[in-house]
Amino acid sequence: MTLRGRLTAAFLVVVLGPVLLGAFFVASTVTAVDRSRSTERLAVAASTVRTSVDALCQQLRATADAVALTGDPAVAAAQLVGRGLAAGVLITDVTGQVTYTSPGAPSTPWRDCSGPATPAGPVRALAARVDLRDRAGTLLGTVAAAQLVDPAFVARLAAVTGVAVTLLDGGASAARVTHTTESREVRDAVLAAASTIDGERVSETTEGRYVRRIGPSTGQPLPLVLSVPSERPPGLYATLVGVVVLAALLAVLTALRLARVTTRPLVELAGAVDRVAHGDLTARVPVRARDELGRLAAAFNRMTRETGSYVAALTSSRDQLRGHLAVLGDTLASTHDLQRILRVILHSAIAATGARAGAVLLVEAGGVLVAQCTEGLDGRWPEGDGPQTLRVPVGVGVVGAVAATGEPQRGRVEPTEAPAGEPRCRTYVAVPFATPGGTTATPGGTPATPGGTPAMPGSTTATLGGPAAPAGGDEASAPAAALGVLALYDRLGADEFDDDDLVTLRTFAGHAAVAVDNVRVHEEAQRLSLTDPLTGLWNYRYLRESIRREVERASRFGRMLSVLALDLDRFKDVNDTYGHAAGDTVLAEFARRVRGEIREVDLAFRQGGEEFVLLLPETDARGAAIVAERLGAAVRETPIAVEAYAGPVVVTVSVGIAVYPDHGSTGRQVLEAADDALYAAKAAGRDTYRIAEVCPDVPTQEIPVPAGALSPSDGLPRAGRPVQVLREPGGPARSEPAAGVPESSPAGAHAGPEPADGPADSAADAGRPGPDAARPGSGGGASSGPHPPRQSRGR
């Protein structure tokens, strides 16, 4: 606390202490007196109520005695009721049967004056009972005289007692009210307070009323609640609070005035210091005297002038760093191009630290650090060596040691100690980086190539965030293996890099780690969203996109597109007989064989369960039939071996074939036609294929459009031979060779089927490239593997 604060607090304690104590004493005294008076009023009211109820009960007993002593009880009861001594008379015999009830008597049951041992419920009337006997003293029955308990009765009690009276519905709870003189504004609060009272104690409501319960008890059977308003002066507490607040304001103003006069020089100095702390280096303190405070003010003014020059230089450096970070953030948010991101990171790090050169290296297969991007390394290689790629084994040299130990390094390199394979420099700083939240593969591992294709399911490549292999078997002490290293060389205008440069470089290294992680996660997520995890084929989501794209391509270039719908026959029996694990093995092996029977440009999909789909671009029905025959033979002739079972599993496949545009004008229509053909193959006994029936089109006349030998205007290459697309009214579309073009099969297209059991069968088969034709070391087309890298080249 400042000196001014301490002086102000001391004055306030001295002044406000007595004021607060006096206000508390007045409030407590008034409250105690008010409660005492209200309790006394409620006690008097309770006594008055008991007296009034007792007098009424005595009157009712006298009335019942008068009726019992007359010879004609009915006549006497009518006379007494008529005179107003009772509201009703009830005569019963010894068995409890009612022998007489006066006209207009209150409804039963009546609350007996004798005590509380009466049934609970609304109190309708108060009654007194006497025995009815003959002249010999024999008991003939009972006579009960009752007085109505209504709002008027309750109002009379309130008028007699001078307090508000509430008659409850029953004697055990204050939840329900029969009659009351309370106002609606305070009724709920009075009842809530009454429900918490045990016995005849007094309670206070939040509205300032005092409440007391009486009865039911012997001599007073009515459950009543009495309440009186508080006699405290209205607004007492508000007045006391106002007095205290006013006194506090006066005391604060006085204290501030006194403290300001006393501590003005120190306050000016403190205000100037606060302005400097908020960045205002133009703050100055007036020197009012030559005493100690004056000398302090002069020293402060000199300090602010010198600090301003340093801050100006730092501001320029900060703005430059912010610009680099802004560029880096925009790059990270707008692209997944790892090389571009790393170049921006390296350039920003060089500009922020004033380095002359630098490199970003990532750990690749075999535990080698390979530079992904460099800047300023030309002319830094040993004499006789031209520009070369920076490659450093992990654990060798400066950057290799940083990657191996996971610890940053900075320092100076003597010319005789320059590490082999690294650029020449005088000073250096190198910082490792790893994937946030984990480590990468060990130096001897096989990490995925940065920016490359993510590994397929089941591969053995290292994953980001995975644990590093411990060195020497000590898992607890193994350092985290680095994902890469950010290295800078030869700082401008200084001998060596300092700790600030190291901190800055750590920031950019963290961005590099995030960039690598984001790119790999993006590639993996893209792969997982489009492939089936069991078979590695494309999934149904990619099928919808691909069939639309392939139909548009076939329509644009006047080509055909064959769609094959495949379904393993009686696959449910395989699951039921061998188990679902064996079924998964069969599906995976079937997918592998499908990949071996199709070309590189063909696309294979798992539609769901045991259903698969093939898209064969530039393939007619004849070529699709050959593929279907080969697939059927590949599955039928070689049973699938399932681990943990004695014999292989024999399965077959049924195939449905549809061709665009013969069997549909859209991808959905062609796929539905292939499904219909698949059902036809199933109906034909399975283990076969069927071609969809050609649906007649609406009669139209289209102008023949020849496809010339030149490339189209969009610059995209045309596959196969030029054709004309002719459509006759009411007939299917057919393809004819363009003028001057020999009728030969298009390159890479599937050949059509020949008559069965003939030599042309094998000739047609040979006309279609084999599944291994375009693989390395072979001379034909290649199989489109299920993984994205191979299929992407066929799209």
Side-chain angles (χ1 to χ4, degrees), residues 306-633:
E306 295 177 1
T307 305
S309 61
Y310 289 111
V311 170
L314 292 176
T315 301
S316 176
S317 176
R318 180 200 62 188
D319 293 340
Q320 184 181 16
L321 181 59
R322 284 180 176 176
H324 292 308
L325 291 177
V327 173
L328 178 58
D330 293 341
T331 305
L332 289 174
S334 62
T335 182
H336 285 98
D337 184 354
L338 183 60
Q339 297 298 324
R340 177 185 172 189
I341 295 174
L342 294 181
R343 283 195 301 270
V344 172
I345 291 173
L346 178 60
H347 177 73
S348 301
I350 290 176
T353 58
R356 295 179 182 272
V360 179
L361 303 94
L362 297 181
V363 179
E364 292 192 353
V368 177
L369 283 165
V370 180
Q372 303 299 315
C373 61
T374 61
E375 185 171 336
L377 294 185
D378 294 341
R380 292 181 175 270
W381 303 104
E383 296 182 2
D385 294 342
Q388 60 184 28
T389 301
L390 180 58
R391 300 176 61 90
V392 180
V394 173
V396 177
V398 174
V399 294
V402 170
T405 61
E407 296 294 334
Q409 294 186 15
R410 64 182 178 87
R412 177 181 297 274
V413 177
E414 298 298 333
T416 58
E417 300 176 356
E422 296 188 36
R424 294 179 301 181
C425 63
R426 294 193 308 273
T427 59
Y428 68 90
V429 58
V431 175
F433 57 88
T435 302
T439 59
T440 59
T442 58
T446 311
T449 303
T453 302
M456 290 301 298
S459 64
T460 59
T461 56
T463 58
L464 294 177
D474 188 359
E475 201 168 295
S477 61
L483 173 66
V485 176
L486 175 58
L488 301 181
Y489 305 101
D490 293 342
R491 180 184 179 189
L492 293 170
D495 292 336
E496 295 186 12
F497 293 93
D498 53 23
D499 292 337
D500 292 336
D501 296 325
L502 192 60
V503 172
T504 302
L505 205 59
R506 281 182 180 271
T507 301
F508 287 103
H511 285 296
V514 171
V516 175
D517 186 53
N518 287 345
V519 169
R520 294 186 180 178
V521 170
H522 172 75
E523 292 172 349
E524 180 65 10
Q526 186 177 27
R527 184 190 66 80
L528 292 176
S529 66
L530 298 178
T531 57
D532 174 59
L534 176 61
T535 62
L537 301 179
W538 298 116
N539 57 20
Y540 180 71
R541 174 183 176 185
Y542 193 59
L543 169 62
R544 293 183 301 176
E545 175 185 345
S546 299
I547 196 170
R548 175 189 57 80
R549 183 181 64 249
E550 293 297 334
V551 165
E552 291 177 354
R553 181 181 299 168
S555 174
R556 182 167 63 250
F557 295 110
R559 302 298 184 186
M560 287 187 172
L561 171 69
S562 292
V563 179
L564 275 65
L566 294 78
D567 186 272
L568 292 176
D569 298 327
R570 297 184 177 89
F571 184 73
K572 185 177 182 300
D573 295 342
V574 176
N575 284 333
D576 295 342
T577 304
Y578 303 100
H580 288 278
D584 291 345
T585 302
V586 171
L587 291 176
E589 175 61 20
F590 175 73
R592 188 190 66 79
R593 297 185 185 183
V594 167
R595 292 195 298 267
E597 296 297 332
I598 59 178
R599 304 168 302 174
E600 183 74 16
V601 296
D602 299 334
L603 300 175
F605 307 85
R606 184 186 180 191
Q607 191 173 11
E610 69 275 15
E611 299 178 0
F612 299 81
V613 174
L614 297 181
L615 300 185
L616 310 180
E618 302 186 25
T619 304
D620 56 10
R622 181 181 180 184
I626 292 178
V627 175
E629 291 176 352
R630 287 182 173 175
L631 289 174

Side-chain angles (χ1 to χ4, degrees), residues 238-263:
T239 302
L240 292 176
V241 171
V243 170
V244 172
V245 170
L246 181 60
L249 289 176
L250 293 176
V252 168
L253 292 176
T254 304
L256 290 176
R257 177 62 181 173
L258 293 175
R260 184 175 182 277
V261 172
T262 305
T263 62

Side-chain angles (χ1 to χ4, degrees), residues 119-130:
V123 179
R124 300 183 179 89
L126 189 63
R129 301 178 186 275
V130 298

